[in-house]
Amino acid sequence: MTTERTTAPSRQVHRPDRTTAQPRQVHLAAHFPGVNNTTVWTDPDSGSQIDFSSFRHLARTAERGRFDFLFLAEGLRLRERKGLIHDLDVVGRPDSLTVLNAVAAVTERLGLAATVNATFNEPYELARRFSSLDHLSGGRAAWNVVTTSDAFTGENFRRGGYLDRADRYRRAEEFVEVARALWDAWPPGRSPRTVRHSGPQFDLAARPALPHSPQQHPVLIQAGDSDEGREFAARSADVVFSRHGSLEAGRAFHTDVKRRLARYGRRPEDLLILPAATFVLGYTDAEAQERAALIRRQQVSPATALAFLENVWGRDLSGYDPDGPLPGVDPVPDSELVQGWAQAGDRFGIAARWRAHAEEKHLSIRELAIEQTARQSFVGTAESVAAAIDAHVQAEAADGFILVPHLTPGGLDEFVDRVVPLLQERGVFRADYAGTTLRDHLGLARPGSVREEGAAS
C-alpha cells in the first residue's frame, strides 16, 4: 500500500456540522513493533525488543495518552532466507500473553491485546489463558485471532503440515465458538457447566477452569482482509486491525465490513475498524516530510529491499543493484528460497505490475520496496496530524488508528506529548478513562450472560 502523507484535512472530506451533531470519537491503540521493517534498528535511541523495560515504557506511555490498548503481534518461527536465519529482522519475540500478564501489573486501565494463532492452539487451553489475563488485569484482555497456512510454520508443531486457506478460517470460526461457550459456562453465583462440542475441528467435553471474567469475553480482534476474513470479522470480531488507512480505501473498507454486520444481527457500532498507521512529526511540514523520507530509507536498507523482492521472485537477487532497475527475469513458482513471510500469491502477476509501475515512475528496486512496504502515515506538524486523524474518523474512513512507532520503546512519546492534547482540545478524544475495562474504552457492550453457541449441559 502506498503511503498517504497528510499535512492537513482534505477540503473534499465531509465533516459533520458540529453545531448540530456530536463529533465521532477517535480511538487510539499502540502497536509494539516486531518482526518487520518498521523499526529503525540503527537509531541510537532504538532499544531492546525483548527486555521487559521496553514493553513497560511503551505501555505506560500509551496509558498516559489514554490509549485504548497495547497491541502485541506474534512470531512463531524465525524467518529464513536461503536456508539461513534472516538476520535483518528482530532476533526473537517473547510470548505475547506472558508479556501482557506482566504489563498488567504496571498499568491500571490500558487494554492488553495479544496475537495468538488459532491454527496451532487448542480452544480450552487458550480460553483459560485469556480468561486468566482478563481476571488479573481487571477486564482489559483482547485476543487478536490470526491463522497460519504455511507448512514452514507448521513444522514447529506436533500436527505439522498446514491448513488450506478455507480450512484455516473454518477452524478459526469453530475455535472462537468453542472458546465463547467455555467463557459463558460458569456464570456468577452458579456452578460451572460442561461444554460439549463435536465438530470438524474439535471434539471435547470440558468445564471451564475459571468463572466469568470481568469482561466475560475478551475483546476479539481480527486482521484478515480477504472476503473470508471480512465475513469472519462481521460475524465474530469486536475490532478489525485493517491495512486500509488512506481516506478512499478506508471508506470503502469501512462501508463494506459494516454493511455485513446486519446479517448477523449486529449494529455498526458493534465493530470498530482501526487501521495500522505510522506517524512522523516536525515543527514545520517541510521538516516532517524530510524526516519521514530519511526514516523510510533507514527502514528499507539495500539488503532489505532485495529480500523484499526475493519473496516475489523466488530467486537469489543478491547480484542486483538495489538502486538499479527491477529484475528482467521471471519469478520461480513454488520457490522456498524465502520462508516465514506471507506468501506472495500470483508471483508472475505481482512482478508484472511492479515492473510496469517502476518503469512508469522510474523507480529503482529500493524505491519500489520503500513504496510497496509503506503503511498509512501521518506526516506533518502536530496540528496537521491531529487534524488529519480527526478528518479520517469524521469521514468514516476509520474509527481510529493503531499507531506503529518507528522506535522502540520511546517512539510513542512525542505523539502523546504533542498530538493527543490537540485531539482532546478538538473534543474527539477522551481526557481520561471513563471506565475500567477495555470494552468500556471501546464502547462495546458486554456479552449476554448466557450464550447458546455450542452445546452445553
Side-chain angles (χ1 to χ4, degrees):
M1 182 177 70
T2 57
T3 304
E4 176 176 324
R5 293 180 175 175
T6 312
T7 58
S10 167
R11 296 181 182 274
Q12 303 302 315
V13 175
H14 169 71
R15 298 171 63 90
D17 181 356
R18 293 187 177 177
T19 62
T20 60
Q22 290 296 317
R24 300 181 74 235
Q25 294 297 294
V26 173
H27 290 277
L28 294 174
H31 188 300
F32 189 94
V35 186
N36 52 45
N37 65 342
T38 298
T39 298
V40 177
W41 312 113
T42 56
D43 193 294
D45 292 329
S46 182
S48 173
Q49 294 278 324
I50 296 175
D51 289 348
F52 180 65
S53 60
S54 293
F55 295 100
R56 180 178 57 210
H57 182 104
L58 190 66
R60 285 178 167 174
T61 301
E63 186 166 70
R64 178 165 61 85
R66 304 301 187 258
F67 279 37
D68 291 332
F69 58 89
L70 173 68
F71 182 95
L72 299 187
E74 179 182 65
L76 294 179
R77 183 166 180 177
L78 295 178
R79 292 168 173 172
E80 296 182 10
R81 177 174 174 264
K82 304 174 188 176
L84 301 174
I85 298 299
H86 184 59
D87 59 7
L88 296 178
D89 272 341
V90 64
V91 294
R93 175 185 283 149
D95 174 72
S96 295
L97 273 168
T98 302
V99 171
L100 292 177
N101 276 296
V103 170
V106 297
T107 55
E108 296 180 355
R109 299 290 183 89
L110 184 69
L112 308 167
T115 301
V116 183
N117 203 286
T119 305
F120 301 118
N121 283 284
E122 297 297 323
Y124 178 85
E125 188 267 346
L126 197 58
R128 180 171 177 261
R129 292 172 68 195
F130 271 105
S131 185
S132 297
L133 176 60
D134 209 48
H135 275 288
L136 292 172
S137 65
R140 296 186 278 141
W143 172 22
N144 180 36
V145 186
V146 296
T147 63
T148 298
S149 63
D150 65 279
F152 175 73
T153 301
E155 291 176 357
N156 280 353
F157 297 89
R158 174 180 57 82
R159 181 163 45 257
Y162 63 95
L163 294 175
D164 289 336
R165 184 180 187 87
D167 288 338
R168 62 181 176 137
Y169 273 110
R170 294 189 188 103
R171 179 181 172 87
E173 289 166 1
E174 191 175 335
F175 197 121
V176 170
E177 177 186 345
V178 175
R180 281 178 162 164
L182 289 164
W183 289 326
D184 287 335
W186 194 343
R190 297 169 60 181
S191 298
R193 295 177 287 113
T194 298
V195 173
R196 304 184 188 278
H197 177 93
S198 181
Q201 297 288 336
F202 308 107
D203 190 351
L204 74 154
R207 288 190 181 93
L210 292 166
H212 275 187
S213 66
Q215 293 186 117
Q216 185 172 339
H217 295 187
V219 169
L220 291 186
I221 304 173
Q222 192 269 345
D225 186 48
S226 65
D227 188 69
E228 298 100 319
R230 295 181 188 208
E231 205 64 25
F232 177 55
R235 179 169 46 250
S236 302
D238 299 305
V239 174
V240 174
F241 182 32
S242 163
R243 66 181 179 87
H244 298 280
S246 70
L247 189 66
E248 296 76 14
R251 292 187 74 176
F253 182 83
H254 192 281
T255 299
D256 177 62
V257 174
K258 297 269 186 173
R259 71 172 175 78
R260 298 174 187 239
L261 293 167
R263 72 186 68 167
Y264 302 106
R266 305 182 69 195
R267 303 166 301 167
E269 58 267 30
D270 293 335
L271 178 67
L272 300 180
I273 296 174
L274 305 179
T278 61
F279 63 91
V280 179
L281 301 178
Y283 288 95
T284 66
D285 288 332
E287 178 192 348
Q289 294 290 348
E290 182 178 350
R291 186 182 177 205
L294 174 62
I295 290 170
R296 286 302 290 140
R297 292 189 68 81
Q298 291 174 314
Q299 290 170 328
V300 184
S301 67
T304 297
L306 290 175
F308 173 71
L309 253 67
E310 286 177 343
N311 190 38
V312 171
W313 261 260
R315 294 177 179 272
D316 182 350
L317 302 178
S318 58
Y320 283 81
D321 179 3
D323 294 318
L326 271 63
V329 296
D330 288 332
V332 176
D334 303 319
S335 169
E336 295 184 355
L337 178 80
V338 176
Q339 297 274 25
W341 280 265
Q343 296 303 303
D346 177 12
R347 296 175 185 266
F348 293 93
I350 295 172
R353 289 194 298 273
W354 283 2
R355 278 200 202 100
H357 183 69
E359 290 173 4
E360 179 185 354
K361 297 185 68 174
H362 306 290
L363 300 177
S364 67
I365 290 174
R366 189 179 183 191
E367 289 168 339
L368 178 79
I370 287 172
E371 183 176 296
Q372 293 296 320
T373 59
R375 299 172 186 248
Q376 160 69 20
S377 188
F378 294 103
V379 178
T381 64
E383 292 78 9
S384 64
V385 166
I389 290 173
D390 185 19
H392 276 67
V393 172
Q394 304 311 323
E396 298 188 354
D399 295 304
F401 292 91
I402 298 179
L403 299 178
V404 190
H406 72 278
L407 288 179
T408 302
L412 194 65
D413 295 29
E414 188 178 22
F415 187 95
V416 168
D417 292 337
R418 297 180 57 197
V419 179
V420 166
L422 298 176
L423 291 171
Q424 292 168 335
E425 287 177 11
R426 285 173 165 263
V428 297
F429 190 70
R430 66 172 68 89
D432 202 354
Y433 293 111
T436 59
T437 72
L438 179 54
R439 289 186 177 274
D440 292 335
H441 306 342
L442 297 172
L444 298 171
R446 184 175 178 273
S449 60
V450 177
R451 297 175 64 95
E452 300 301 326
E453 293 184 57
S457 63

